Structure formats: structure tokens, C-alpha cells
Amino acid sequence: MTIRPAAVAGTWYPGSAGALGRAVDAYLSRARSESYHRLDDLVALIAPHAGLMYSGPIAAFGYHLLRAHSFEVVVLIGPSHFVGFDGVSIFPGGAFRTPLGDVRIDEACAAAIMATTPIVRDLPGPHAREHSLEMQLPFLQRVLPGVMMVPLLMGIQSRDTARALGDALGEVLRRRRALLVASTDLSHYHDATTAARLDGVVIDHVNRFDFDRLQDALERQPDHACGGGPMVAVMRAARALGAQDAVVLKYGDSGDVSGDKSAVVGYLAAAMGRAALQGH
């Protein structure tokens, strides 16, 4: 079995199973105690992918919801930070490793996605150093132990690529009990006031479940997000899979942890499903 080893264990998150599990569990526990949103039928999440100490407190607001659900497969879509290419790169088989163990790839689902659209290619190279998907795995391992996944990286995040990927995922996943996860951080290295204004545009379009307007905003100002394409694709696929509501669960920035509000990165957790309800 092909193993993709952890690329950022010991730097972006703790390198031992014990320390990593304790950190993730603490974020999940805190999010559960503060959260008041839930979805009756969860279809998709948006989650950040910075170092765990910065983005983990926000990501947990999405991942703690998964304990009330079960899934056959989780399809992760993130941006490629280090390798530029057209279309979408898939790691088609084997497993991704973290200190908490291996997350197996659903090879049948991966093959079905590749068969549905030519934009998704067997191109494992961009995954070697990439952190945008790896940062999601410790949360999945704690809340959905044993779940299988499909890892997808978007290269050039064009409108056509996001549309084609979203449509293909909607087609393939309607035959599976699947969760979609869009991995994205929001604006980078603005002061917190400017960041909140930029990030507020994304938050508004997510709240409205309006992926076309989100795509328009990203084309006008690409620095709204580093994973805008994955967000658009996931929202489009979630709508095709029957999601009716989008809920912004938590927003924050790196200054909430570092104390430096002069140059922050924005983080968003959101969820999409078929019936959004509020209650403790």
C-alpha cells in the first residue's frame, strides 16, 4: 500500500500521537461547549488549514458536528500551495499517515471521480509537501475513526475548474453517504480590521449559500481566500447533493492566538446540510 507520510507533523501540529490527540480533543470539547448550531443532515464543511494552534480552535466548530453523523467517505478538497498545474490532482490509492495512524483512501470512489471528469488526474506529486489536506486529518481521525477519504488538490483555481469539479462530485457522491470538506484560509497578512472586511464578503456569500457570487468576488479580489476554488466547488456539489442551508459556525484570525492584530490570517468554519436548526 502506498503511504503518503506526514509532511508537517512536529511543526504545524504535535508530532506524537498523545500530544496531537490531546490538542485536538481540547479544541473539540471547547467548540462543543460553545456551539449552538447543528444540521439534521450534514453534507459539507468549510475548515481552515493553518498551524493547529491557530486554526484548530476554528476548525473544531465544524468537526465536532460530525459526531452526530456517519459517513462512508470524506472527500477533501484543498488548494495546492507549492505546485502549479491545471485541473485537479488526486492521490488515487493507499493512505495518508499522521501520528494518529493511517487514513485509507477510498480507491473506488477516487476512480469514479476520475472517470466522471477529465479535470481530475492521477497526479500524486503535488500532495507530497501539501498541508491543506493534512491539517484536516487529525480531526477526522478523532471524530470519524476508520473513515475512508479521497484527497483532491486544485491547482489553478479557475471558475471552469471549480464548476466541473463541483458537478462531478455531485454526480458521483449522490450514490454514497459522503461528506465534503473544503480546506481554505481567508485573507492573509492584513490588519485585523481590513481582514474582517475582506473576510466578511466571503462569510456573506457562504451564509447565503451563493457560490456564484462567491466566485465573482474571488475573481475581483483573489486574496479573499487561498482556497476559494475548493469552497466554490464544495458549495456547488453540496447543493447538488440536496443541501439547502449553509451556516457560518465560527470566524476568527491568527491574532486571536498570537495577540498580534497588525498582520493576520482569517479562518472560517461553516457547514452545509439539508435542514439547519439552532439549539443547544
Side-chain angles (χ1 to χ4, degrees):
M1 183 172 66
T2 302
I3 299 293
R4 185 272 194 188
V8 294
T11 52
W12 289 54
Y13 59 82
S16 71
L20 179 56
R22 287 190 295 273
V24 171
D25 288 347
Y27 295 138
L28 290 167
S29 177
R30 195 174 310 139
R32 185 169 56 252
S33 69
E34 295 179 15
S35 181
Y36 61 92
H37 290 293
R38 70 183 180 89
L39 297 175
D40 273 356
D41 200 350
L42 187 63
V43 176
L45 295 179
I46 296 170
H49 57 234
L52 187 66
M53 66 180 291
Y54 295 105
S55 66
I58 304 298
F61 275 78
Y63 282 108
H64 92 88
L65 299 177
L66 302 189
R67 289 201 165 111
H69 301 270
S70 63
F71 299 96
E72 299 170 15
V73 61
V74 178
V75 179
L76 299 172
I77 305 97
S80 174
H81 286 87
F82 303 108
V83 181
F85 54 90
D86 290 323
V88 180
S89 161
I90 193 168
F91 200 103
F96 277 35
R97 180 163 291 167
T98 80
L100 298 176
D102 294 344
V103 182
R104 294 284 300 270
I105 293 171
D106 187 330
E107 296 181 10
C109 187
I113 294 169
M114 284 190 287
T116 302
T117 175
I119 67 159
V120 177
R121 296 181 288 146
D122 181 346
L123 190 67
H127 291 264
R129 295 176 56 202
E130 183 54 54
H131 60 272
S132 65
L133 305 185
E134 183 176 333
M135 295 308 300
Q136 313 307 322
L137 299 183
F139 284 101
L140 290 176
Q141 289 172 300
R142 297 308 271 185
V143 299
L144 294 175
V147 75
M148 300 182 80
M149 62 113 171
V150 176
L152 299 166
L153 292 175
M154 293 184 71
I156 298 170
Q157 298 175 46
S158 70
R159 179 185 293 265
D160 289 345
T161 297
R163 180 186 297 116
L165 179 59
D167 290 347
L169 293 174
E171 172 64 25
V172 172
L173 299 180
R174 68 168 50 105
R175 295 182 289 275
R176 292 169 169 84
R177 178 64 179 147
L179 175 74
L180 293 152
V181 178
S183 173
T184 183
D185 291 339
L186 300 186
S187 64
H188 281 51
Y189 310 130
H190 301 281
D191 65 86
T193 300
T194 302
R197 177 177 55 79
L198 291 168
D199 298 343
V201 174
V202 174
I203 289 168
D204 181 59
H205 293 315
V206 171
N207 259 327
R208 296 173 185 272
F209 210 158
D210 193 338
F211 44 85
D212 288 328
R213 291 288 182 87
L214 176 57
Q215 181 67 57
D216 292 342
L218 292 166
E219 289 177 351
R220 287 192 300 269
Q221 195 157 2
D223 67 347
H224 276 303
C226 72
M231 272 196 295
V232 172
V234 162
M235 290 171 70
R236 187 179 185 91
R239 178 72 81 185
L241 292 169
Q244 299 168 340
D245 299 281
V247 176
V248 169
L249 304 167
K250 190 71 170 178
Y251 169 75
D253 64 56
S254 57
D256 298 335
V257 175
S258 71
D260 180 2
K261 291 287 189 173
S262 66
V264 304
V265 178
Y267 309 127
L268 169 69
M272 284 148 271
R274 291 193 177 91
L277 300 174
Q278 294 185 355
H280 291 284

